[in-house]
Amino acid sequence: MSSAAPAPRVIAVVGPTAAGKSDLGVFLAQHLGGEVVNADSMQLYRGMDIGTAKLTPAERDGVPHHLLDIWDVTEAASVAEYQKLARAEIDRLLADGRWPILVGGSGLYVRGAVDHLDFPGTDPAVRARLEAELELHGPGALHARLAAADPDAARAILPGNGRRIVRALEVIEITGKPFTANLPSHESVYDTVQIGVDVGRPELDERIAVRVDRMWEAGLVDEVRTLEAQGLREGRTASRALGYQQVLAALAGECTEEEARTETVRATKRFARRQDSWFRRDPRVHWLSGAVADRGELPGQAVALVERAVTA
């Protein structure tokens, strides 16, 4: 950086799972004098370490990380609650002259943290009716209804994520508008530079397969077994996390462990495509190559982008 240090800005490192966001976030925090603010919805949960690829304390390399391990697995996730927590961390860091480095692939959480995004209220009667339908018919039927009412929302929400589907249908019913229509135009609350880590699909698919194998070798099944004893199966959000959902099915005898591993790879590849599609729709994201061939150049390109944006 130049001798006349610029005022800190928010840096958001986004993109699909397994692209290399976490490592880049650590590098930028070290280079800029910043701290990482987690924007991965499942890394908010205590004990969900292996299956979410949460950086170990050693891998964080001395960089403070915030909003990790703050919820029990029985707690339902709330983007509105996350928004309050994330902005409190961002505001504190900016006031201290530190660069907030927001890192994660949960698109709505990123937008909740940095954008003008107000969440519609809830209607207990509508919510209860939709949850009863979810219990009776399963998430697939409700996802089909969502696809008819709001195709963009259906593309962004996994067909098995009953809680998110119910919330989207609730908002549609309450507001009379598509769920995605309640997302305003891309207007930031903070002066923000968004960096997208771009990896070609074949390479990303291979990384995902390797990552899932390593998770199994690192003890994912034992991690899920431990969390199951803490109420994971009853957790409406955490139990649907990729890998955890599949291992829970194996532990219940609904499939073999090998089938659970195969399904985790397949579902994660599908999810990565949804993540990529979400961030591609945001014109503010500056995409940099995170491919193996370009990995050595990625940190320098990211720093150059930030410095260019600072002086622009």
Side-chain angles (χ1 to χ4, degrees):
M1 303 294 291
S2 64
S3 56
R9 310 171 75 186
V10 177
I11 308 299
V13 181
V14 303
T17 189
K21 300 183 297 296
S22 297
D23 290 342
L24 181 59
V26 167
F27 173 84
L28 288 172
Q30 290 173 325
H31 183 85
L32 296 168
E35 301 180 12
V36 169
V37 179
N38 168 50
D40 181 309
S41 61
M42 294 304 166
Q43 291 192 9
L44 292 159
Y45 286 103
R46 276 186 290 275
M48 292 178 63
D49 302 330
I50 297 171
T52 65
K54 193 180 293 176
L55 291 186
T56 65
E59 289 169 335
R60 297 170 204 170
D61 203 14
V63 172
H65 280 59
H66 306 283
L67 301 188
L68 295 173
D69 308 315
I70 63 171
W71 291 338
D72 290 330
V73 293
T74 54
E75 188 167 345
S78 163
V79 183
E81 177 64 19
Y82 170 80
Q83 181 184 61
K84 288 187 285 189
L85 296 171
R87 290 188 180 179
E89 292 291 350
I90 291 170
D91 291 342
R92 179 184 61 79
L93 289 168
L94 290 173
D96 288 346
R98 305 283 288 169
W99 290 68
I101 313 296
L102 195 69
V103 180
S106 299
L108 196 56
Y109 281 64
V110 173
R111 291 207 61 190
V114 302
D115 282 354
H116 288 285
L117 192 59
D118 297 319
F119 297 95
T122 186
D123 184 317
V126 173
R127 172 69 64 90
R129 174 167 47 77
L130 289 168
E131 287 180 343
E133 291 181 36
L134 175 66
E135 186 71 24
L136 184 63
H137 302 296
L142 268 67
H143 192 267
R145 188 193 309 174
L146 179 62
D150 187 347
D152 287 340
R155 281 192 288 271
I157 298 173
L158 289 173
N161 193 334
R163 184 174 177 276
R164 293 265 325 265
I165 296 167
V166 163
R167 176 56 177 158
L169 289 171
E170 179 191 23
V171 169
I172 291 169
E173 189 162 336
I174 291 171
T175 65
K177 298 186 292 184
F179 178 68
T180 45
N182 289 279
L183 299 179
S185 58
H186 298 103
E187 184 180 350
S188 298
V189 174
Y190 301 100
D191 189 6
T192 305
V193 179
Q194 296 198 45
I195 300 172
V197 184
D198 183 23
V199 178
R201 188 158 292 178
E203 182 177 336
L204 189 65
D205 284 350
E206 177 59 25
R207 286 194 200 180
I208 288 169
V210 170
R211 172 181 279 191
V212 170
D213 284 343
R214 287 177 178 165
M215 287 175 176
W216 245 262
E217 292 162 7
L220 178 61
V221 174
D222 286 339
E223 178 173 278
V224 175
R225 192 177 282 116
T226 298
L227 292 171
E228 184 182 22
Q230 299 172 13
L232 174 62
R233 198 173 287 278
E234 289 71 49
R236 290 168 55 195
T237 306
S239 66
R240 309 301 298 182
L242 291 167
Y244 296 87
Q245 177 182 353
Q246 287 77 17
V247 173
L248 282 172
L251 293 177
E254 297 168 8
C255 64
T256 67
E257 192 177 307
E258 189 55 39
E259 287 170 339
R261 186 196 298 224
T262 300
E263 174 57 22
T264 298
V265 173
R266 189 185 68 82
T268 305
K269 290 177 180 178
R270 190 172 66 238
F271 179 61
R273 285 157 175 67
R274 290 174 182 270
Q275 290 176 296
D276 190 69
S277 176
W278 172 281
F279 290 114
R280 294 282 175 189
R281 292 198 295 269
D282 191 333
R284 301 168 299 177
V285 176
H286 301 270
W287 291 94
L288 301 177
S289 175
V292 168
D294 304 314
R295 190 175 287 168
E297 300 177 11
L298 176 62
Q301 289 179 344
V303 168
L305 172 63
V306 170
E307 292 180 340
R308 197 162 62 242
V310 163
T311 58

